[in-house]
Each structure stands twice: as structure tokens, then as C-alpha cells.
């Protein structure tokens, strides 16, 4: 487990994805051994909060940006009058 730092230093351009996967794997192993449960239960305990928070974040982004998107779409509805009927 202590070699995670070496992996991040070995691949400087891929440090963020490697460290995220490494930290998730280490966390699953730690939950499994500390709670003496199976791999599935430990994986769900690690991944479920991240998935729920990610879903809530995407939903919140949609709620916040929806009025702006509707406003932008309605701004382009009158383009036919600008160009004239024949164009």
C-alpha cells in the first residue's frame, strides 16, 4: 500500500486518475479488513456515497443551468424575422 506514492511519481501526467483509483482500492481493502466483511459490501460502502453525491451534483447543476438554457433557446426563436421570410 505504501507504493502508491511511487506510482503517482512514475506517471506524472496520469497522477490524478492513478491516485484516485489507488485510493479507492486501498479504501475498499481497509473497509473490508476493518469491518470483516466481503468485497461486495466494502465496495458498496466506498462507492455508493460517491455515486449518490455525484448524482446530486449533476442534478443540482441541471437545476441551476436550466433557466439559462431556456433563456438562450428562446433568444433564437425570432431569427426568421431578422433574416426575412424569403431567406
Amino acid at each position: 500500500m505504501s507504493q502508491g506514492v511511487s506510482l503517482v511519481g512514475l506517471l506524472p501526467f496520469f497522477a490524478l486518475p492513478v491516485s484516485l483509483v489507488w485510493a479507492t482500492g486501498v479504501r475498499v481493502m481497509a473497509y473490508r479488513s476493518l469491518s470483516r466483511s466481503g468485497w461486495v459490501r466494502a465496495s458498496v460502502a466506498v462507492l455508493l456515497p460517491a455515486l449518490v453525491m455525484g448524482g446530486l451534483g449533476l442534478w443540482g447543476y441541471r437545476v441551476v443551468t436550466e433557466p439559462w438554457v431556456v433563456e438562450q433557446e428562446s433568444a433564437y426563436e425570432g431569427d426568421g424575422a431578422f433574416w426575412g421570410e424569403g431567406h
Side-chain angles (χ1 to χ4, degrees):
M1 286 190 225
S2 64
Q3 295 302 316
V5 178
S6 298
L7 285 174
V8 170
L10 182 66
L11 303 168
F13 295 110
F14 301 109
L16 183 61
V18 168
S19 63
L20 289 175
V21 171
W22 190 268
T24 302
V26 169
R27 189 171 290 135
V28 168
M29 289 190 304
Y31 281 17
R32 182 184 159 271
S33 47
L34 288 174
S35 65
R36 295 185 180 151
S37 62
W39 288 104
V40 174
R41 181 174 278 182
S43 299
V44 168
V46 169
L47 297 175
L48 187 64
L51 292 175
V52 168
M53 293 305 292
L56 285 173
L58 288 175
W59 177 77
Y61 177 76
R62 168 85 183 203
V63 166
V64 168
T65 59
E66 184 67 27
W68 182 79
V69 171
V70 170
E71 178 184 320
Q72 294 299 317
E73 288 174 352
S74 65
Y76 291 109
E77 288 178 359
D79 282 348
F82 177 77
W83 292 104
E85 293 293 322
H87 188 69

